[in-house]
Amino acid sequence: MKTFKGYKRPNGTFGVRNHVIVINTVGELAGVANRLADLVPGVVPVIQQGGTSQFPEDSMQTIRTIKGTVGHPNINAALILGMGEDDFAEQIAAELREQQCKVKAIVINKSTSLEKLLVDGRAWLQKVYEESLEDKRVDVPITELTIGLECGGSDAWSGITANPAIGVCSDMIVDDGATSILAETTEAIGAEHILARRAINEQVAKDFLTIVKNYENRILDTGEDIRSANPTPGNMVGGLTTLEEKSLGCIKKGGNAPLQQVLKYAEKPSAKGFVFMDTPGYDVESVAGLAAGGCQIVLFSTGKGSPIVPVIKIGTNPKLYEIMSEHIDVNAGTIVEGKKTLQDVGEEIYNLVLKVANGEKTKAEQHRNQEFAIWRLAQSI
């Protein structure tokens, strides 16, 4: 069986990174979280702006995402900062400690000083970070690997080069017995019937078509029509002409494997193989959901980074790679030039996935691209 060198967690999961993080439950503590991370070099700040004044569905989604982020296998230890009497930081920490995760919660309220929070938080982070440096990688079956599939800044070449090459890699991962998660519900509109035909049964097909329909209806309820908003102005500059053209290219990232399951945002899959997660088209929120759902690595045709998971960026055309080679890991533009085939580039991406799983840093990691945001479903109260 194929293996990679990863970090074994006490709860039986495996990470490809060994981060110590500090994360805030409410936006008011974003600055404090950043300050604490600055006090302990090596600690990663995971900053989000939600957590308060939310409708119940958004509050539940925020909790699920933070819990999935803190309990992620790429995380060695996490400090959760909360505020107020009804904050959920302690609840998340208690649940994750039962799963043998290394988590501490500090909640600031009227009886707690900011100075004490900084002193206590820094001491704990310093301790666990030094402990994390002692951890060693071990052999991990490739079946324990989960990758996320994302695209951004789509152009006329996306559905011809980068996305289908990612699909080749996805199929290889699935053939290994591992898991691949395709995201961005908006990017399936117009091609949803094609992906639904790959479902393993009628229920999975129905689940997929339902999330696509519900997403489109939510947008219509705001007075907007996603079918007229897509392709975006940037997509059109890149050469895309219709929503269907964009969507047909986007779903290519999912390869040809059967669709096993449909997930809520930030939900962990219960099945191996190819699955779909309900996320927005906004890259930062979508990648955060994939990470919270357990993806250890994300494949991204161009796009952003993440503080939790290494992101492998794949360029769509030779000119893009020439301009942004310092930010892009794989040049799928070689397909346009006739230098490589789709299979060649798909295998190149697959081999890089294994290298990154073993510790090689991506361009996004080297440049510290650490964007993070949680998908909001409703307006603030």
Side-chain angles (χ1 to χ4, degrees):
M1 180 178 288
K2 296 177 184 176
T3 62
F4 64 91
K5 293 284 188 180
Y7 295 97
K8 184 176 182 179
R9 303 303 176 198
N11 61 6
T13 61
F14 299 90
V16 303
R17 295 295 181 267
N18 201 35
H19 297 310
V20 173
I21 67 168
V22 54
I23 187 169
N24 58 308
T25 61
V26 294
E28 292 90 335
L29 291 175
V32 178
N34 266 323
R35 187 174 172 186
L36 267 171
D38 288 341
L39 291 173
V40 186
V43 169
V44 179
V46 182
I47 307 303
Q48 62 93 26
Q49 299 299 329
T52 55
S53 300
Q54 294 181 328
F55 282 92
E57 60 179 350
D58 265 322
S59 181
M60 291 173 60
Q61 184 146 290
T62 298
I63 292 172
R64 185 170 67 249
T65 307
I66 291 178
K67 184 177 178 181
T69 300
V70 172
H72 193 281
N74 285 359
I75 304 303
N76 175 286
L79 174 63
I80 311 175
L81 301 182
M83 185 173 73
E85 302 302 330
D86 59 348
D87 192 271
F88 50 82
E90 287 283 8
Q91 171 195 335
I92 292 176
E95 290 178 9
L96 289 175
R97 281 195 293 267
E98 288 182 359
Q99 299 171 26
Q100 303 183 64
C101 295
K102 195 181 298 183
V103 185
K104 180 179 177 66
I106 299 180
V107 179
I108 187 168
N109 51 40
K110 292 178 181 178
S111 61
T112 307
S113 70
L114 179 59
E115 181 182 2
K116 178 172 174 54
L117 181 151
L118 291 171
V119 170
D120 292 349
R122 179 184 182 181
W124 189 83
L125 287 169
Q126 188 69 56
K127 173 179 176 291
V128 295
Y129 179 72
E130 290 174 1
E131 291 173 351
S132 74
L133 299 178
E134 303 298 318
D135 289 354
K136 305 297 182 185
R137 290 178 179 265
V138 298
D139 287 328
V140 181
I142 198 169
T143 53
E144 297 296 330
L145 194 62
T146 301
I147 63 167
L149 313 174
E150 182 81 14
C151 64
S154 298
D155 58 31
W157 293 110
S158 298
I160 299 170
T161 60
N163 289 350
I166 290 173
V168 170
C169 175
S170 175
D171 284 343
M172 294 176 71
I173 291 290
V174 170
D175 287 345
D176 285 337
T179 305
S180 167
I181 305 179
L182 179 62
E184 297 179 290
T185 308
T186 53
E187 311 295 88
I189 295 174
E192 65 268 34
H193 59 292
I194 298 173
L195 207 48
R197 285 202 297 262
R198 289 166 49 189
I200 58 170
N201 56 46
E202 289 185 9
Q203 185 58 54
V204 173
K206 181 180 178 181
D207 290 344
F208 176 67
L209 293 173
T210 297
I211 65 167
V212 174
K213 181 179 180 180
N214 288 346
Y215 201 120
E216 189 168 8
N217 287 340
R218 283 203 305 271
I219 301 300
L220 287 171
D221 287 342
T222 69
E224 300 292 335
D225 183 355
I226 202 165
R227 292 179 182 266
S228 60
N230 254 320
T232 66
N235 296 151
M236 289 185 279
V237 169
L240 288 173
T241 58
T242 67
L243 170 67
E244 288 79 10
E245 184 182 10
K246 181 179 180 180
S247 294
L248 286 168
C250 288
I251 66 172
K252 284 286 187 180
K253 299 190 302 294
N256 298 297
L259 178 62
Q260 301 285 337
Q261 187 179 12
V262 176
L263 306 170
K264 292 186 294 187
Y265 181 82
E267 181 183 14
K268 292 178 173 60
S270 59
K272 298 283 187 181
F274 172 60
V275 302
F276 191 95
M277 179 182 288
D278 185 17
T279 79
Y282 176 38
D283 307 337
V284 180
E285 293 175 347
S286 184
V287 171
L290 285 169
C295 293
Q296 297 117 314
I297 297 171
V298 169
L299 307 182
F300 204 148
S301 46
T302 64
K304 311 295 190 297
S306 166
I308 303 302
V309 300
V311 174
I312 297 173
K313 300 183 183 183
I314 298 96
T316 60
N317 64 76
K319 186 175 181 180
L320 176 66
Y321 185 74
E322 180 183 348
I323 295 170
M324 301 191 68
S325 58
E326 64 179 319
H327 296 286
I328 295 175
D329 300 282
V330 177
N331 177 19
T334 53
I335 299 168
V336 178
E337 298 172 312
K339 296 177 180 178
K340 292 183 179 180
T341 66
L342 274 176
Q343 187 66 32
D344 292 336
V345 177
E347 291 176 3
E348 182 181 350
I349 298 169
Y350 173 86
N351 290 331
L352 183 55
V353 166
L354 296 183
K355 290 178 182 178
V356 170
N358 282 306
E360 182 173 312
K361 286 193 173 183
T362 66
K363 299 288 182 67
E365 290 180 292
Q366 293 170 24
H367 291 283
R368 298 189 68 184
N369 297 148
Q370 297 179 338
E371 297 84 10
F372 184 88
I374 299 173
W375 183 21
R376 295 288 292 266
L377 300 171
Q379 56 271 70
S380 297
I381 297 173

